[in-house]
Amino acid sequence: MMYEVYVLWIRPVLQKYDETPLLKTFVKLICPVGFITYNSFVSIFEGILNCYAEFSRFGDRLFYLDFWNATNLDEWSREWNRPVHLFLKEYVYVYAAETYNLSQIKAYLVTVVFSAIFHELVFVFCHAIVVHVHQCVRTVPFNGHAHSNPTHIHGLLFEG
């Protein structure tokens, strides 16, 4: 079903990306991308990970917290994908801080860059297998991930 949404709603918009104003393209993509994002979340966290946990008899099934109640972007990013957050915290942030004697801000930036590059590789790999994606779209997730850092820092500094 997600492939059909892509073929019927997203691909035609992306094929006319150069001819259409950016705001109009964005508005046309909000609902289908939201649908695919929601279905991907449910499929991965409620389906695949719980199935894997059932087969492996993994007891701790805390794959996400109540991210919908987050008050800032930093809290949301910690709560919506618990396994990735814990992996990045333990194996990138703490490792970079202890091994290279980095400050918290520098270790945080190393973690965010690592996460952005890894998510970009996953995005490109998944979409290269399923469908051919327009070249300009491949940079959007990395740019969005990388440009969210000022928002994170702003939220931490001016949290009320």
Side-chain angles (χ1 to χ4, degrees), residues 101-116:
N101 204 17
L102 297 177
S103 66
Q104 288 182 341
I105 296 290
K106 288 180 182 177
Y108 171 78
L109 291 176
V110 166
T111 305
V112 169
V113 168
F114 176 83
S115 175

Side-chain angles (χ1 to χ4, degrees), residues 29-137:
L29 291 175
I30 286 177
C31 287
V33 169
F35 175 79
I36 288 176
T37 303
Y38 174 75
N39 281 329
S40 297
F41 176 80
V42 170
S43 298
I44 292 169
F45 289 101
E46 295 296 334
I48 296 170
L49 290 179
N50 274 321
C51 183
Y52 178 74
E54 189 69 32
F55 288 136
S56 65
R57 297 184 180 173
F58 183 66
D60 182 18
R61 297 189 186 184
L62 190 60
F63 300 124
Y64 58 91
L65 296 173
D66 58 344
F67 62 90
W68 47 88
N69 291 331
T71 57
N72 59 29
L73 194 57
D74 189 50
E75 182 182 359
W76 178 85
S77 67
R78 283 192 313 264
E79 293 179 352
W80 91 270
N81 192 344
R82 212 64 193 136
V84 170
H85 168 70
L86 294 175
F87 174 83
L88 290 173
K89 182 180 177 185
E90 181 68 28
Y91 294 105
V92 180
Y93 177 80
V94 172
Y95 179 79
E98 290 177 355
T99 304
Y100 299 107
N101 204 17
L102 297 177
S103 66
Q104 288 182 341
I105 296 290
K106 288 180 182 177
Y108 171 78
L109 291 176
V110 166
T111 305
V112 169
V113 168
F114 176 83
S115 175
I117 290 170
F118 181 75
H119 281 85
E120 179 68 12
L121 290 173
V122 169
F123 177 80
V124 169
F125 178 74
C126 290
H127 285 82
I129 290 174
V130 177
V131 291
H132 173 69
V133 178
H134 196 271
Q135 185 64 31
C136 66
V137 176

Side-chain angles (χ1 to χ4, degrees), residues 72-78 108 112 144-145 147-159:
N72 59 29
L73 194 57
D74 189 50
E75 182 182 359
W76 178 85
S77 67
R78 283 192 313 264
Y108 171 78
V112 169
H145 196 97
H147 288 93
S148 69
N149 293 326
T151 310
H152 279 247
I153 293 169
H154 181 272
L156 292 173
L157 293 176
F158 299 105
E159 188 172 359

